[in-house]
Amino acid sequence: MKLCIFNDYRVGVVDGDSLRDVTAAVPGHQGRASSFFWVEMCRDFEQIRPTLADAAKTAPGLPLDQVKLHAPVLNPPKIIAAASNYSDHVTEMQSRVDMTWMLDFDIFLKAPSSVLDPFGEIRLPPVRDREAHHEVELAVVIGRTGADIPEEEALEYILGYTILLDITVRGKGDRSRRKSYDTFSPIGPWLVTADDIADPHDLDLKLWVNEDLRQDANTNHLLVSIPGMISYASSIMTLQPGDVFSTGTPAGVGPINPGDSIRATIEGIGTLRVSVGERQPPLSR
Ligand code: MN
């Protein structure tokens, strides 16, 4: 099932080029004033899934190009991201980083406030001596609370999959700052539930800047598997329903600039499109 959030934070089931509005079947949905329904939906999805599926059968279709899509996450408790999880990306970064520990697999956090909707605009900060780069990544949305999760049970904690662009200012400084500017985590265009992804470790992922294919890889090259990442992260921090876990980027990262259009596709999920603009510097006083 492909789940999306649209217009006034309504919930849709994507069906080809249209969506079915199943908001009335979502427990606790009270309009845009509260987003907690989403976290509860992530947690209780298995129980409410049959109701949503029934509602989708009878709801009228709305063409996807006539709705405002939001990122398929609402107030994620946290966004965890994997660093250095494809060997070809580690290799391309060797000439760029002088701290070798940055080339080892690890996890870091991105601010939840950095989420950007599909078709949104990445606003680059006025830091002209640094490049901002694109990183296309398969992202996991967590559906259950868990700590110290064994690898062999980790897949049971996944609600579904989506696309995340881990936009990054290169250079010195903590990752959590360089990757947490507002708009630096475009997510979408929807969430595909885990049962619709036969093997998350065999998905082609591609990213274009304008018409230039920059990243072209497959998740079978992940250094640490998705269960391995979930198990490791949960040995440090409790995973919660609605958490987003981004699995790392392959080679081909490169600069983005105001005026660029970015298009990212992951097999079995869809295509996420965003544009690039500039964050206006504060007025001088
Ligand atoms: Mn990344």
Side-chain angles (χ1 to χ4, degrees), residues 8-209:
D8 284 345
Y9 301 89
R10 301 183 71 78
V11 177
V13 172
V14 177
D15 178 13
D17 291 334
S18 65
L19 66 80
R20 309 282 173 168
D21 185 343
V22 296
T23 310
V26 175
H29 193 288
Q30 293 161 1
R32 62 188 304 172
S34 165
S35 60
F36 294 110
F37 76 87
W38 179 258
V39 167
E40 291 178 357
M41 195 175 119
C42 291
R43 184 192 64 195
D44 302 333
F45 184 72
E46 278 315 308
Q47 291 93 291
I48 65 173
R49 178 195 183 101
T51 317
L52 295 183
D54 278 351
K57 278 182 209 151
T58 52
L62 286 169
L64 276 170
D65 59 8
Q66 288 176 32
V67 302
K68 157 71 181 163
L69 280 178
H70 297 286
V73 298
L74 273 182
N75 293 344
K78 52 190 170 293
I79 302 176
I80 311 168
S84 304
N85 206 17
Y86 285 84
S87 62
D88 56 357
H89 175 58
V90 172
T91 302
E92 75 179 347
M93 293 306 288
Q94 272 164 348
S95 62
R96 282 186 165 267
V97 303
D98 48 14
M99 289 169 290
T100 53
W101 61 264
M102 288 191 77
L103 301 172
D104 297 333
F105 171 82
D106 214 330
I107 58 167
F108 58 90
L109 295 172
K110 300 193 78 171
S113 48
S114 65
V115 171
L116 178 68
D117 292 336
F119 303 105
E121 183 185 79
I122 297 166
R123 285 178 286 119
L124 300 180
V127 186
R128 286 293 158 259
D129 56 337
R130 298 251 194 135
E131 290 180 353
H133 280 198
H134 55 79
E135 297 189 352
V136 62
E137 309 195 1
L138 173 68
V140 169
V141 177
I142 297 294
R144 288 171 57 187
T145 299
D148 296 321
I149 300 168
E151 259 192 65
E152 56 272 23
E153 294 172 17
L155 290 177
E156 298 166 23
Y157 287 77
I158 297 175
L159 169 63
Y161 299 90
T162 187
I163 304 170
L164 184 147
L165 304 184
D166 178 17
I167 305 299
T168 303
V169 170
R170 293 284 175 224
K172 289 186 167 49
D174 197 277
R175 280 194 182 101
S176 65
R177 173 177 61 75
R178 293 185 288 105
K179 292 168 174 278
S180 283
Y181 288 93
D182 286 359
T183 73
F184 269 30
S185 299
I187 300 179
W190 38 70
L191 180 161
V192 180
T193 53
D195 55 294
D196 274 351
I197 300 286
D199 182 1
H201 300 98
D202 183 19
L203 300 176
D204 288 334
L205 63 171
K206 292 183 166 67
L207 179 141
W208 292 260
V209 175

